[in-house]
Amino acid sequence: MNTLRNHLLLAARDIVESNGVQAISMRSLGEVANVSRGAAYRHFSNKHDLLCALAGSMGNELSSALANSVNSNDSVKQQFQQMAKAYITFSFQSAERYALIFNSPDLHQNPTDELRQSLNEAFQRLVELIEMGHADNSIVNESIEHQANFVWSSLHGFCTLILGRKEQYDVYTADQADFVINKLWRSLAR
């Protein structure tokens, strides 16, 4: 990947995490990255393309976090719990990042291929785990797509609710997260 493009994405990330998505403009990006606005436009045709690229980059981070969270020697149940905790942890590391990836209607109404692919890769991690559960008979053999959508939307709803309350990830929140994860597992398990 182009190093100036990477530099611009890092600067955009700093803006989003410090001041929110609303603070992003091609001008503010140029100022923070210490480049001309024209340099930013050479890599991103407009703010929408920039935000899709940034959300795509962050989606790749989520996919990596999910993949790295599981120990392949563990049971499917343990891997499910590890992956679900990684999803929740990812959301709490930066509420602004999470909101950009999942709660930006403008991006999802007209996503770039890069954004679509990164989010699909993250979702596919869950699909693959459910497939493993079907294969080892630890998960009820129902529609994988329906099961994955149920788990994904439940995790998303939990994270969005807690982040919307501006709660910190603490012992109380971790206890709630464990409760949700265990309920989700029981809804899938044989």
Side-chain angles (χ1 to χ4, degrees):
M1 187 182 276
N2 184 302
T3 54
L4 179 55
R5 187 174 192 275
N6 277 344
H7 178 67
L8 292 167
L9 286 173
L10 288 172
R13 178 189 191 111
D14 289 345
I15 295 168
V16 167
E17 291 186 354
S18 299
N19 302 308
V21 175
Q22 71 281 355
I24 285 274
S25 68
M26 298 306 263
R27 177 174 301 201
S28 66
L29 177 62
E31 290 170 5
V32 170
N34 201 27
V35 299
S36 70
R37 200 168 42 177
Y41 277 110
R42 280 193 290 281
H43 292 278
F44 308 103
S45 59
N46 54 39
K47 179 180 174 179
H48 176 81
D49 286 347
L50 166 66
L51 290 176
C52 280
L54 181 59
S57 170
M58 293 171 170
N60 289 335
E61 292 172 20
L62 173 59
S63 183
S64 293
L66 297 178
N68 294 332
S69 69
V70 297
N71 180 343
S72 61
N73 296 322
D74 287 342
S75 69
V76 170
K77 177 183 180 181
Q78 291 168 316
Q79 291 182 54
F80 177 85
Q81 291 168 329
Q82 293 159 355
M83 190 178 287
K85 284 180 184 177
Y87 182 101
I88 292 168
T89 299
F90 181 88
S91 75
F92 276 89
Q93 288 171 341
S94 170
E96 291 293 342
R97 173 181 67 180
Y98 188 79
L100 175 64
I101 296 170
F102 292 111
N103 297 331
S104 297
D106 294 343
L107 299 188
H108 295 288
Q109 289 173 358
N110 187 25
T112 60
D113 290 340
E114 179 181 10
L115 175 58
R116 194 177 291 115
Q117 180 181 350
S118 75
L119 295 179
N120 187 51
E121 285 177 18
F123 183 74
Q124 281 304 118
R125 304 281 183 202
L126 176 60
V127 168
E128 291 165 7
L129 187 60
I130 292 171
E131 288 172 343
M132 288 172 43
H134 283 204
D136 79 357
N137 215 25
S138 61
I139 292 179
V140 173
N141 194 359
E142 295 177 329
S143 166
I144 293 171
E145 182 180 345
H146 291 166
Q147 289 173 316
N149 280 325
F150 171 72
V151 169
W152 195 261
S153 62
S154 297
L155 289 172
H156 172 72
F158 173 75
C159 293
T160 300
L161 178 69
I162 299 299
L163 290 170
R165 293 181 188 160
K166 307 287 188 218
E167 291 185 28
Q168 297 298 313
Y169 196 74
D170 57 16
V171 173
Y172 175 70
T173 310
D175 184 55
Q176 290 180 70
D178 287 341
F179 178 84
V180 167
I181 292 166
N182 288 325
K183 284 289 190 185
L184 288 172
W185 174 255
R186 284 195 294 268
S187 75
L188 298 175
R190 283 204 178 266

